[in-house]
Coordinates of all heavy atoms in Angstrom, one line a residue:
R1 N 113.8 90.9 106.2 CA 114.7 91.9 105.7 C 115.6 92.5 106.7 O 116.9 92.7 106.5 CB 114.0 93.0 104.9 CG 114.8 93.9 104.1 CD 114.0 94.8 103.2 NE 113.3 94.0 102.2 CZ 113.9 93.7 101.0 NH1 115.2 94.0 100.9 NH2 113.3 92.9 100.2
L2 N 115.1 92.9 107.8 CA 115.8 93.6 108.9 C 116.9 92.6 109.4 O 118.0 93.0 109.6 CB 114.9 94.0 110.0 CG 115.5 94.7 111.3 CD1 116.2 96.0 110.9 CD2 114.5 94.9 112.3
L3 N 116.5 91.4 109.6 CA 117.5 90.4 110.1 C 118.7 90.3 109.1 O 119.9 90.2 109.6 CB 116.9 89.0 110.3 CG 115.9 88.9 111.5 CD1 115.2 87.5 111.4 CD2 116.5 89.1 112.8
A4 N 118.4 90.2 107.9 CA 119.4 90.1 106.8 C 120.3 91.3 106.7 O 121.5 91.2 106.3 CB 118.8 89.7 105.5
E5 N 119.7 92.4 107.1 CA 120.5 93.7 106.9 C 121.4 94.0 108.1 O 122.2 94.9 108.1 CB 119.5 94.9 106.7 CG 118.8 94.9 105.4 CD 117.7 95.9 105.3 OE1 117.5 96.6 106.3 OE2 117.2 96.1 104.2
S6 N 121.2 93.3 109.2 CA 121.9 93.6 110.5 C 123.1 92.7 110.7 O 123.2 91.6 110.2 CB 120.9 93.4 111.7 OG 119.7 94.2 111.6
D7 N 124.0 93.3 111.5 CA 125.3 92.7 111.8 C 125.2 91.6 112.9 O 126.0 90.6 112.9 CB 126.3 93.7 112.1 CG 126.6 94.7 111.0 OD1 127.2 94.4 110.0 OD2 126.0 95.8 111.2
L8 N 124.2 91.8 113.8 CA 124.0 90.9 114.9 C 122.6 90.9 115.3 O 121.9 92.0 115.4 CB 124.8 91.4 116.1 CG 124.5 90.7 117.4 CD1 124.9 89.2 117.4 CD2 125.3 91.3 118.6
N9 N 122.0 89.7 115.4 CA 120.5 89.6 115.8 C 120.4 88.8 117.1 O 120.9 87.6 117.2 CB 119.8 88.8 114.7 CG 119.7 89.6 113.4 OD1 119.3 90.8 113.4 ND2 120.3 89.0 112.3
L10 N 119.9 89.5 118.1 CA 119.7 88.8 119.4 C 118.2 88.4 119.3 O 117.3 89.2 119.4 CB 119.9 89.9 120.5 CG 121.3 90.5 120.6 CD1 121.4 91.6 121.6 CD2 122.4 89.5 120.7
V11 N 118.0 87.1 119.3 CA 116.6 86.6 119.1 C 116.2 85.6 120.1 O 117.0 85.2 120.9 CB 116.5 85.9 117.6 CG1 116.7 86.9 116.5 CG2 117.6 84.8 117.6
R12 N 114.9 85.3 120.1 CA 114.4 84.5 121.2 C 113.5 83.3 120.6 O 113.1 83.3 119.4 CB 113.6 85.3 122.2 CG 112.2 85.6 121.6 CD 111.4 86.5 122.7 NE 110.0 86.5 122.4 CZ 109.2 87.3 123.0 NH1 109.6 88.1 124.0 NH2 107.8 87.3 122.7
G13 N 113.1 82.4 121.5 CA 112.1 81.4 121.2 C 112.5 80.5 120.0 O 113.6 80.0 119.9
E14 N 111.5 80.2 119.1 CA 111.8 79.3 118.0 C 111.7 80.0 116.7 O 112.6 79.9 115.8 CB 110.7 78.2 118.1 CG 111.0 77.2 119.2 CD 110.1 76.0 119.1 OE1 109.4 75.8 118.2 OE2 110.0 75.2 120.1
D15 N 110.6 80.8 116.4 CA 110.4 81.3 115.2 C 111.4 82.3 114.7 O 112.1 82.3 113.7 CB 109.0 81.9 115.0 CG 108.6 82.3 113.6 OD1 108.9 81.5 112.7 OD2 108.1 83.4 113.4
S16 N 111.7 83.4 115.6 CA 112.7 84.4 115.2 C 114.1 83.7 115.2 O 114.9 84.2 114.5 CB 112.6 85.5 116.3 OG 112.9 85.1 117.6
F17 N 114.2 82.7 116.1 CA 115.5 81.9 116.1 C 115.8 81.3 114.7 O 116.9 81.4 114.1 CB 115.4 80.9 117.2 CG 116.5 79.9 117.2 CD1 117.8 80.2 117.2 CD2 116.2 78.5 117.3 CE1 118.9 79.2 117.2 CE2 117.2 77.6 117.3 CZ 118.5 77.9 117.3
V18 N 114.8 80.7 114.1 CA 115.0 80.1 112.8 C 115.1 81.1 111.7 O 115.9 81.0 110.8 CB 113.7 79.2 112.5 CG1 113.7 78.7 111.0 CG2 113.7 78.0 113.5
R19 N 114.3 82.2 111.8 CA 114.5 83.3 110.8 C 115.9 83.9 110.8 O 116.4 84.2 109.8 CB 113.4 84.3 111.0 CG 112.0 84.0 111.1 CD 111.5 83.0 110.1 NE 111.4 83.5 108.8 CZ 111.1 82.8 107.7 NH1 110.9 81.5 107.9 NH2 111.0 83.3 106.5
A20 N 116.5 84.0 111.9 CA 117.8 84.6 112.1 C 118.8 83.6 111.4 O 119.8 84.0 110.8 CB 118.1 84.9 113.5
Q21 N 118.6 82.3 111.6 CA 119.5 81.3 110.9 C 119.4 81.5 109.4 O 120.5 81.4 108.7 CB 119.3 79.9 111.4 CG 119.7 79.7 112.9 CD 119.2 78.4 113.4 OE1 119.9 77.4 113.1 NE2 118.2 78.4 114.1
W22 N 118.3 81.6 108.9 CA 118.1 81.8 107.4 C 118.7 83.1 106.9 O 119.2 83.2 105.8 CB 116.6 81.7 107.0 CG 116.0 80.4 107.2 CD1 114.7 80.1 107.7 CD2 116.4 79.1 106.8 NE1 114.5 78.8 107.7 CE2 115.5 78.1 107.1 CE3 117.7 78.7 106.1 CZ2 115.7 76.8 106.8 CZ3 117.8 77.3 105.9 CH2 116.8 76.4 106.2
A23 N 118.7 84.1 107.8 CA 119.2 85.4 107.4 C 120.7 85.4 107.2 O 121.3 86.2 106.4 CB 118.9 86.5 108.4
G24 N 121.5 84.5 107.8 CA 122.9 84.3 107.5 C 123.8 85.4 108.2 O 124.9 85.6 107.8
Q25 N 123.3 86.0 109.3 CA 124.1 86.9 110.0 C 124.4 86.4 111.4 O 123.9 85.4 111.8 CB 123.3 88.3 110.2 CG 123.0 88.9 108.8 CD 124.1 89.5 108.0 OE1 125.2 89.4 108.5 NE2 123.8 90.1 106.9
A26 N 125.3 87.1 112.1 CA 125.7 86.7 113.5 C 124.4 86.7 114.3 O 123.6 87.6 114.2 CB 126.8 87.6 114.0
L27 N 124.4 85.7 115.2 CA 123.2 85.7 116.2 C 123.5 85.2 117.5 O 124.4 84.4 117.7 CB 122.0 84.9 115.5 CG 122.1 83.4 115.4 CD1 121.5 82.8 116.7 CD2 121.4 82.9 114.2

């Protein structure tokens, strides 16, 4: 939910990286 609500997600590794892609926001 937090990823989808944010304008930009700075993420790492594999799992948070994939979750950020599903969220559909800039990363």
Side-chain angles (χ1 to χ4, degrees):
R1 183 172 297 278
L2 179 63
L3 291 174
E5 292 173 351
S6 299
D7 302 285
L8 170 62
N9 296 302
L10 307 174
V11 293
R12 77 180 196 188
E14 292 187 7
D15 190 44
S16 60
F17 168 52
V18 171
R19 306 316 290 177
Q21 290 174 79
W22 292 134
Q25 302 290 1
L27 72 89

